[in-house]
Amino acid sequence: MRLDYLSIFPDYLAPLGLSLPGKAAARGLIDVRVHDLRDWAHDKHRTVDDTPYGGGAGMVMKPEVFGEALDDLRIDGATVVVPTPAGRPFSQPLARELATRERLVFLCGRYEGIDQRVLDHVATRAELVEVSLGDYVLNGGEVAALAITEAVVRLLPGFMSNADSLVTESHEAGLLESPVYTKPASWRGHDVPPVLLSGDHARIEAWRHSEAERRTTQRRPDLLAPVTLDVPGEAGGADDTARLRLAVPGDAPELLTLQLACWVTEALVNDDLGIPALHEGLDDVRRDLDLWRVWVLRTAQDRLVASVRARLGDDGSTWEIGRLMVSPDLRGSGLGRGLLAHAERSAPLGARTFLLFTGKHSTANLRRYKRAGYSVREVLDGPSGPVVLTKRRRD
Ligand code: JD8
């Protein structure tokens, strides 16, 4: 890949000769050329800017200087990247896209920006990509050009020694990174999570995925593909679209309320007031948010109407699904089926079997789970069993 940079501060792009792009250039993977825009300004002061038509503060970069430079750089057919606050947000998918190009030409603006006619002209000769690094204001395009270059060059075939690590990265997997640790195992009273010292790769992979999902839910819920389920509207009104997401500590009080409401029914059906779910309190619910991956379904009116949880069993290959609960007034609306399917879809690669429990007299649940492909593995000998049901993972 050839990369050209036009800037009035060419030294600002010196880092292109260092570390990542530097190594890539040394390995002939990229051909980097930085050009001083003033080389195409022929007046005594090598002027590249002038006052803005229509008045206003600051200066605008002159079209003629860019025109001559672009002619000499023979941009025809190239991809011209113009960092600008008015550009489309830069992202990993766009980085992947740009990494497929043979040639990138970066126009690094300064002042109030580049005369618009330069961009209109470029669009007649090349692929024009106006891109913004983020919703904050820089003083020029150089920093953005450096960041975009790093994000693109590291994706070039043959660049990353462990190319496979690319696939699991933040923004590649659509989730933020899980926390990382190295030696020592204990530092200033902070210990590395024991699962990472277990050598159990299935459990480690499951832990990293749940941490990535937890962080993304808490820090970047916008990155999560909205999972929605239709909830029957009140009194026959229009369906309401409810959103399914990972639970956060703030959900615990409503989770407890829903749990107690749902398991009263189970206790009545199974004539067993000893069912554990009925004997848990807020602390138990909060604790379990760390031990299980818990999802909650909230309506557009922010009412918590359903939930389910799952975790990887001690054998590292069984995905234990539990506490599937739907608000009593919404039973029979297919929400349970939707949550069960989501819990199954969320199983880590290492999980080969789905497992869940229900009361031996919970005929409706038993029917629902058998319809979902589960079969009875065993019936435990408690007052209400429970019945253990399993299903082999197909995908
Ligand atoms: C190019 C000139 C400065 C911008 C008046 C401040 C990108 N995410 C981003 N924020 N800012 C830029 C950016 C800023 C630039 C130029 C990119 C060229 N400026 C101008 C308009 C307001 N000054 C950017 N990518």
Side-chain angles (χ1 to χ4, degrees):
M1 174 187 277
R2 172 170 165 180
L3 303 105
D4 290 87
Y5 302 79
L6 265 176
S7 165
I8 61 171
F9 295 126
D11 298 348
Y12 219 115
L13 298 161
L16 290 171
L18 306 174
S19 81
L20 178 143
K23 289 197 192 80
R27 291 166 56 193
L29 273 171
I30 59 175
D31 167 6
V32 172
R33 306 183 190 191
V34 176
H35 313 276
D36 183 341
L37 182 67
R38 292 189 190 281
D39 292 351
W40 288 273
H42 310 305
D43 63 304
K44 189 154 76 43
H45 301 296
R46 303 198 339 136
T47 305
V48 298
D49 62 316
D50 204 334
T51 55
Y53 273 122
M59 301 292 275
V60 174
M61 302 187 85
K62 297 165 61 63
E64 311 95 309
V65 182
F66 273 104
E68 286 191 38
L70 297 169
D71 294 348
D72 285 358
L73 293 182
R74 304 190 192 311
I75 60 152
D76 301 272
T79 295
V80 175
V81 180
V82 181
T84 165
R88 60 191 271 197
F90 186 55
S91 65
Q92 195 62 17
L94 181 51
R96 280 199 299 272
E97 182 69 20
L98 293 174
T100 66
R101 302 297 191 268
E102 281 305 310
R103 184 172 178 207
L104 301 180
V105 179
F106 288 84
L107 306 188
C108 301
R110 280 276 155 174
Y111 308 101
E112 299 313 302
I114 301 170
D115 186 299
Q116 179 59 36
R117 292 166 293 175
V118 172
L119 308 180
D120 302 342
H121 170 71
V122 163
T124 64
R125 297 171 58 181
E127 176 188 22
L128 174 63
V129 179
E130 293 182 77
V131 56
S132 169
L133 209 52
D135 299 342
Y136 43 82
V137 179
L138 303 169
N139 274 350
E142 286 79 7
V143 168
L146 287 171
I148 294 165
T149 299
E150 175 149 332
V152 169
V153 168
R154 65 193 299 281
L155 299 175
L156 294 179
F159 184 77
M160 293 291 275
S161 49
N162 52 356
D164 55 1
S165 74
L166 282 177
V167 290
T168 58
E169 281 172 343
S170 254
H171 302 296
E172 278 297 348
L175 292 175
L176 300 183
E177 300 286 344
S178 58
V180 292
Y181 303 83
T182 186
K183 290 185 275 305
S186 184
W187 178 76
R188 296 190 181 185
H190 300 278
D191 297 337
V192 171
V195 63
L196 298 179
L197 310 174
S198 69
D200 182 330
H201 299 299
R203 297 182 65 68
I204 290 168
E205 186 256 337
W207 179 86
R208 282 177 172 158
H209 187 91
S210 80
E211 284 302 303
E213 217 177 21
R214 179 198 313 286
R215 275 183 160 190
T216 308
T217 301
Q218 285 165 350
R219 301 177 185 186
R220 294 292 309 278
D222 59 294
L223 289 176
L224 292 171
V227 178
T228 60
L229 290 170
D230 290 339
V231 173
E234 302 294 328
D239 273 8
D240 174 350
T241 300
R243 180 137 182 210
L244 190 61
R245 62 161 171 75
L246 264 182
V248 293
D251 294 315
E254 287 165 278
L255 266 175
L256 177 63
T257 306
L258 181 63
Q259 177 174 308
L260 297 176
C262 291
W263 263 269
V264 163
T265 316
E266 290 302 294
L268 291 170
V269 167
N270 291 278
D271 186 20
D272 174 8
L273 284 174
I275 295 176
L278 276 179
H279 299 274
E280 289 181 354
L282 202 48
D283 298 344
D284 301 303
V285 172
R286 287 212 176 95
R287 177 205 59 237
D288 286 349
L289 288 181
D290 294 333
L291 301 176
W292 292 76
R293 216 181 288 171
V294 182
W295 292 277
V296 293
L297 185 70
R298 282 188 176 277
T299 65
Q301 293 71 36
D302 202 26
R303 178 192 168 204
L304 196 160
V305 292
S307 177
V308 67
R309 69 184 189 184
R311 70 178 178 187
L312 198 60
D314 293 347
D315 63 0
S317 68
T318 299
W319 189 234
E320 299 173 357
I321 298 171
R323 296 289 159 81
L324 177 55
M325 43 190 168
V326 175
S327 184
D329 61 301
L330 293 170
R331 288 240 172 88
S333 59
L335 292 179
R337 198 169 39 254
L339 267 75
L340 180 58
H342 179 76
E344 290 175 359
R345 273 196 308 272
S346 305
L349 292 175
R352 303 312 318 144
T353 302
F354 301 126
L355 178 144
L356 43 79
F357 299 84
T358 192
K360 64 183 177 187
H361 303 298
S362 306
T363 49
N365 292 349
L366 286 164
R367 201 172 36 254
R368 178 182 304 115
Y369 296 143
K370 289 173 181 168
R371 244 199 330 267
Y374 286 79
S375 48
V376 174
R377 176 194 283 185
E378 69 182 301
V379 179
L380 305 183
D381 53 14
S384 58
V387 177
V388 181
L389 300 105
T390 59
K391 173 168 85 171
R392 288 294 293 160
R393 185 180 189 171
R394 303 246 180 297
D395 60 25

